Amino acid sequence: VLLGIAIHGAFGISFPAYLPRKEMTTILKLLPDEILYNYLFSETLRLVVIISSFLWAINLFAPISSFISALSFFLLVSLLAEKTPYTNHQWNFLSVALILFAIWYGNSYRDILSSKSLLVVGRKAAYPLWIPQTLLVFCSVGYFYSGFTKLQHFGWSWANGLSLQIWTFVFSTHDSLLRTWILSSRSVALVFQYLALITELLSAIVLFSARARIPIGIMLIFFHLGNE
């Protein structure tokens, strides 16, 4: 499933033509602008993700295909971060997940290839506990830090409704009832921003409460669906 999403993401990720950032955002900032903002570079990365992820999915050229898939997708997401003025949480999460699974796969691919059923291997060795635990910490800390920095720099006034309306108008290209609703009412936009900020701050709770994981996870999913 993760590889399918990665391939879909590689096809769907687009790179808006924004001005280069002054500060260092990712390791790709070390590259010259002639390479970083070259169309051939981004399309090559996209193609490498698609091919290597497909090979990984069918267990060919293991474990090299898994490492290339994880690394190339990480670079593709890094390139997106260099060319957009906002954080793409969902792609960052997927990138970390691919890296973790590539590490596991690199240590277990012989068992997988020698097994007649991946499900059997899955029950015995796949998805070791440290993978979901690491992803849980990554999500919790990442979203909480996102909410905390909003409060640190702007306070609760970050949720003013107007900024969400501007964001929706500029970055949302899909006509939908939600988009119309947000743009037509600042009060509605303000409520959505407060809910988003509170959800990010509450994400720290999932480290200590298993019961809180499902409702907060659902709220984060709706948050991203709303962004899309």
Side-chain angles (χ1 to χ4, degrees):
V1 174
L2 287 175
L3 290 173
I5 297 175
I7 293 174
H8 173 74
F11 275 114
I13 287 177
S14 58
F15 300 100
Y18 291 107
L19 293 175
R21 293 181 173 185
K22 293 182 179 180
E23 71 276 8
M24 184 171 183
T25 306
T26 70
I27 59 173
L28 290 184
K29 193 64 176 179
L30 298 174
L31 295 175
D33 286 352
E34 291 76 12
I35 297 177
L36 186 62
Y37 297 96
N38 186 283
Y39 175 79
L40 181 60
F41 177 65
S42 62
E43 293 308 299
T44 300
L45 268 181
R46 192 192 308 271
L47 185 61
V48 171
V49 170
I50 294 170
I51 294 176
S52 59
S53 297
F54 176 76
L55 293 175
W56 184 9
I58 60 176
N59 295 307
L60 282 183
F61 302 108
I64 300 300
S65 58
S66 65
F67 297 147
I68 295 177
S69 172
L71 177 60
S72 59
F73 191 82
F74 168 78
L75 293 176
L76 190 68
V77 172
S78 298
L79 185 62
L80 182 63
E82 290 292 346
K83 295 188 175 185
T84 51
Y86 51 87
T87 301
N88 299 273
H89 294 287
Q90 66 273 31
W91 298 128
N92 291 339
F93 173 81
L94 180 58
S95 178
V96 172
L98 286 176
I99 291 173
L100 294 178
F101 276 102
I103 294 173
W104 161 75
Y105 186 85
N107 292 322
S108 308
Y109 76 96
R110 290 187 178 86
D111 294 332
I112 294 175
L113 296 179
S114 63
S115 174
K116 295 181 179 180
S117 172
L118 292 179
L119 294 177
V120 173
V121 176
R123 286 194 296 268
K124 292 181 178 179
Y127 309 107
L129 191 59
W130 61 267
I131 291 182
Q133 286 179 337
T134 304
L135 291 175
L136 180 66
V137 172
F138 175 79
C139 283
S140 177
V141 174
Y143 282 106
F144 174 77
Y145 181 74
S146 176
F148 176 77
T149 53
K150 291 180 178 70
L151 284 181
Q152 184 181 31
H153 293 289
F154 307 105
W156 289 101
S157 62
W158 175 85
N160 56 23
L162 180 60
S163 57
L164 178 58
Q165 288 181 314
I166 295 174
W167 175 279
T168 303
F169 180 78
V170 174
F171 296 106
S172 177
T173 58
H174 305 287
D175 290 328
S176 65
L177 178 61
L178 181 60
R179 183 177 190 272
T180 303
W181 201 14
I182 290 175
L183 292 178
S184 62
S185 173
R186 184 171 176 180
S187 297
V188 171
L190 186 146
V191 170
F192 275 113
Q193 274 197 282
Y194 264 110
L195 287 175
L197 181 57
I198 292 172
T199 300
E200 287 184 328
L201 294 173
L202 289 177
S203 62
I205 299 176
V206 303
L207 289 177
F208 313 100
S209 173
R211 292 182 178 180
R213 293 170 188 172
I214 293 179
I216 292 178
I218 292 175
M219 292 174 69
L220 288 174
I221 290 173
F222 277 106
F223 167 73
H224 283 293
L225 290 177
N227 280 343
E228 295 298 323

